[in-house]
Amino acid sequence: MIARFKDLCMDAADAHRLGAFWAAILDGELVDTGDGDTRVGPRPARSKAESVWVNTVPEPRTGKTRVHLDLRLADPDPEALLAAGARLVREPDAEISWWVLADPDGNQFCAFPPREGKRPGVFELVVDTADPVAQATWWAGVVGGRVETEEGVASVVGAAGFPWDYWVFDPVPERKRVKNRVHWDVDLTGPDATALISAGATLLREPDDRISWWVLADPEGNEFCAFPPRPSQ
């Protein structure tokens, strides 16, 4: 195991507006970080890895959402999400049994109807990929866990620090072309990113006078940040 899953990050044109939306639908705490960004803190007694950092960026949104969250609804429909500011993209139909929605910044996410024995809220993180098994296997090699496959979809289950049920890699025909607006962070188990780079990650930026972490990309170009071990680790 090279790293542990740390948290999720979202780019936004308006970090306060987007942070307020996700805090409302996740029942989290909206924190103003004081630098133009926000953070959605998890509910009490939940894992800190459920935190969502919302970062202001100058570039407009382009391209599709290649990384998204799947939520389990508490109610039989997504009316509460729509009231909070979500936009309906697609309703359940003959092909899908869930709603596709978009947040105020245009990030799409899926909302599934309630299921007995399943708690409401996020239950999986989904990543578009050209090769689901290769991607899931690579990430399981980084953060541990086991790879499960079903009908062309591969998932990592039991990854270190991962706060949800499944980390899903979903096959899509199109290749990644632009920077992801949603990415994840990891905490390194070693002092630097050498092991990650040796495993196949691409170094995009080293720590400098502005940041204390490494910016990398996985084998399919998904950006992620790798942080040195924290004092409590």
Side-chain angles (χ1 to χ4, degrees):
M1 192 180 74
I2 300 172
R4 295 176 56 86
F5 187 92
K6 181 178 183 289
D7 48 33
L8 204 65
C9 296
M10 296 182 178
D11 289 350
D14 186 336
H16 286 81
R17 181 187 180 203
L18 188 60
F21 169 81
W22 281 102
I25 70 169
L26 298 179
D27 193 25
E29 177 190 8
L30 181 63
V31 178
D32 186 336
T33 60
D35 55 1
D37 298 339
T38 58
R39 175 173 58 84
V40 179
R43 291 172 290 176
R46 301 297 303 173
S47 168
K48 289 184 179 180
E50 293 189 54
S51 297
V52 179
W53 296 81
V54 186
N55 305 313
T56 301
V57 295
E59 65 271 12
R61 175 184 175 79
T62 58
K64 67 172 290 191
T65 302
R66 291 187 66 89
V67 180
H68 74 266
L69 293 171
D70 284 350
L71 283 66
R72 181 79 58 194
L73 295 171
D75 301 313
D77 58 53
E79 288 305 316
L81 304 186
L82 296 173
R87 174 173 57 86
L88 179 63
V89 176
R90 181 178 178 181
E91 294 188 90
D93 53 32
E95 295 182 358
I96 64 172
S97 60
W98 57 88
W99 291 265
V100 180
L101 305 166
D103 69 19
D105 202 75
N107 300 304
Q108 293 187 10
F109 63 100
C110 298
F112 288 70
R115 178 180 294 181
E116 187 176 356
K118 300 293 185 179
R119 70 175 180 85
V122 178
F123 68 95
E124 58 189 18
L125 174 65
V126 183
V127 184
D128 285 356
T129 177
D131 190 333
V133 173
Q135 278 289 91
T137 300
W138 191 84
W139 275 104
V142 170
V143 296
R146 69 183 186 276
V147 176
E148 297 182 352
T149 59
E150 182 178 359
E151 298 182 351
V153 177
S155 302
V156 178
V157 179
F162 193 75
W164 304 301
D165 296 336
Y166 303 100
W167 191 348
V168 179
F169 294 89
D170 200 18
V172 296
E174 67 277 359
R175 295 279 179 171
K176 182 178 184 295
R177 299 186 183 278
V178 298
K179 175 189 174 188
N180 289 336
R181 298 281 285 191
V182 180
H183 76 266
W184 54 90
D185 296 334
V186 299
D187 280 323
L188 295 167
T189 57
D192 56 43
T194 300
L196 265 173
I197 296 168
S198 296
T202 300
L203 178 64
L204 302 179
R205 182 177 178 181
E206 294 188 88
D208 53 33
D209 58 351
R210 296 185 62 189
I211 64 172
S212 60
W213 56 88
W214 291 263
V215 182
L216 304 134
D218 71 14
E220 287 201 4
N222 297 300
E223 303 87 1
F224 67 99
C225 296
F227 288 73
R230 289 173 283 181
S232 60
Q233 289 182 292

